[in-house]
């Protein structure tokens, strides 16, 4: 699942 | 955020600014594929759905707004701006990009991280971005005289995802962060598609001649 650390990637 | 990631975002931003400059300065979109621009607008619209729901940072929000508005503005310019639209090579820009959309959507249905609307659309945008440059590269092969701004635009657009791959490699070794395999594979495919262009871009820079892709 989308862990938070890649969430901020564009 | 590491230096590779920031450099990637700045490179992406520069590519957008170069394209806007080219269209604004020359009032022309010759050599630009409308289909690639449409695919990119779709990529940003399906990837940044969380723009209004999840606030991550000012930087993140500003960049998403820039990418969405600029890609839509460029598509509008090439379709409807009275001066710019006349320079669009409609009969050269013939790549069947609908197949790319369909293929990416099917891939996203079969291989999302999680089977939720948001995750499927996110995976769709990642798969689609990997192949979105194809119409532009095909058009570049057909157009003989492409202006420098256009080649620099493509160079920066291709470099940004390569820097993201470096960012994932860096994070893997420093933060033991595995990343997401969808991003890894799509980012690598996307960068590989540019290798041919990067080679000719480098050759043209060294011999200070105009970039020419072989027919």
């Amino acid at each position: 699942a989308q862990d938070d650390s890649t969430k901020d990637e564009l | 955020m590491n230096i590779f990631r920031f450099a990637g975002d700045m490179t992406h931003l520069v590519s957008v600014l170069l394209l806007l400059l080219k269209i604004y300065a020359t009032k022309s979109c010759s050599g630009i594929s409308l289909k690639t621009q449409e695919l990119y607008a779709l990529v940003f619209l399906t990837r940044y759905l969380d723009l209004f729901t999840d606030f991550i940072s000012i930087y993140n929000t500003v960049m998403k707004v820039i990418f969405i508005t600029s890609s839509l503005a460029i598509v509008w310019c090439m379709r409807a701006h009275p001066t710019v639209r006349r320079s669009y090579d409609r009969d050269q820009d013939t790549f069947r990009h609908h197949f790319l959309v369909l293929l990416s959507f099917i891939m996203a249905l079969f291989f999302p991280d999680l089977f939720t609307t948001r995750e499927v659309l996110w995976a769709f945008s990642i798969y689609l971005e990997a192949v979105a440059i194809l119409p532009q590269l095909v058009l570049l092969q057909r157009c003989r005289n492409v202006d420098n701004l256009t080649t620099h635009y493509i160079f920066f657009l291709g470099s940004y995802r390569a820097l993201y791959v470096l960012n994932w490699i860096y994070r893997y070794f420093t933060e033991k962060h595995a990343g997401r395999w969808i991003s890894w594979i799509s980012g690598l495919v996307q960068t590989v598609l540019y290798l041919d262009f990067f080679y000719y871009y480098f050759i043209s820079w060294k011999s200070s001649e105009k970039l020419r892709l072989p027919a």
Side-chain angles (χ1 to χ4, degrees):
Chain A
Q2 183 167 344
D3 56 51
D4 59 346
S5 56
T6 53
K7 194 193 279 277
D8 72 333
E9 287 186 352
L10 293 170
Chain B
M1 161 112 65
N2 61 59
I3 182 63
F4 298 108
R5 167 68 211 289
F6 184 67
D9 289 344
M10 290 305 107
T11 304
H12 191 189
L13 184 62
V14 164
S15 76
V16 167
L17 296 178
L18 278 173
L19 182 53
L20 288 169
L21 175 68
K22 176 234 169 12
I23 292 177
Y24 178 74
T26 66
K27 284 289 178 285
S28 146
C29 64
S30 63
I32 302 296
S33 163
L34 171 61
K35 300 188 174 198
T36 285
Q37 298 310 317
E38 287 171 346
L39 292 180
Y40 257 99
L42 190 55
V43 163
F44 295 137
L45 287 172
T46 50
R47 187 177 305 176
Y48 299 150
L49 293 174
D50 60 350
L51 181 62
F52 302 109
T53 54
D54 305 352
F55 176 78
I56 294 165
S57 69
I58 297 276
Y59 172 83
N60 190 271
T61 303
V62 166
M63 294 300 273
K64 286 176 178 175
V65 168
I66 290 173
F67 291 141
I68 290 176
T69 47
S70 58
S71 58
L72 291 175
I74 286 161
V75 167
W76 176 83
C77 251
M78 294 184 72
R79 279 180 169 275
H81 187 286
T83 314
V84 173
R85 66 193 297 266
R86 280 208 303 268
S87 57
Y88 170 47
D89 310 325
R90 186 175 307 279
D91 51 355
Q92 295 261 49
D93 191 15
T94 58
F95 198 98
R96 298 184 192 292
H97 64 322
H98 302 103
F99 282 128
L100 297 179
V101 174
L102 185 68
L103 181 76
S104 306
F105 190 68
I106 291 169
M107 282 279 285
L109 286 177
F110 281 98
F111 306 109
D113 259 351
L114 272 180
F115 200 77
T116 65
T117 310
R118 211 152 94 212
E119 286 291 322
V120 167
L121 286 177
W122 179 84
F124 166 71
S125 83
I126 295 287
Y127 293 137
L128 185 60
E129 189 188 3
V131 292
I133 196 61
L134 285 173
Q136 179 62 63
L137 292 178
V138 166
L139 182 63
L140 197 61
Q141 243 169 354
R142 291 180 180 162
C143 292
R144 298 326 287 160
N145 60 336
V146 175
D147 59 53
N148 286 343
L149 270 176
T150 303
T151 54
H152 298 326
Y153 155 68
I154 299 172
F155 173 75
F156 278 91
L157 185 58
S159 309
Y160 114 82
R161 211 65 187 171
L163 287 165
Y164 256 73
V165 172
L166 292 183
N167 150 62
W168 292 319
I169 293 171
Y170 175 82
R171 295 182 71 183
Y172 180 77
F173 288 111
T174 53
E175 301 163 23
K176 293 284 168 269
H177 167 81
R180 302 168 82 183
W181 63 272
I182 290 180
S183 305
W184 273 99
I185 293 175
S186 305
L188 284 171
V189 166
Q190 186 168 333
T191 305
V192 164
L193 287 177
Y194 279 87
L195 292 185
D196 173 55
F197 169 82
F198 284 150
Y199 170 72
Y200 289 104
Y201 182 85
F202 178 69
I203 296 288
S204 77
W205 169 73
K206 264 185 72 87
S207 57
S208 66
E209 281 166 16
K210 269 191 124 19
L211 182 135
R212 299 174 67 84
L213 289 185

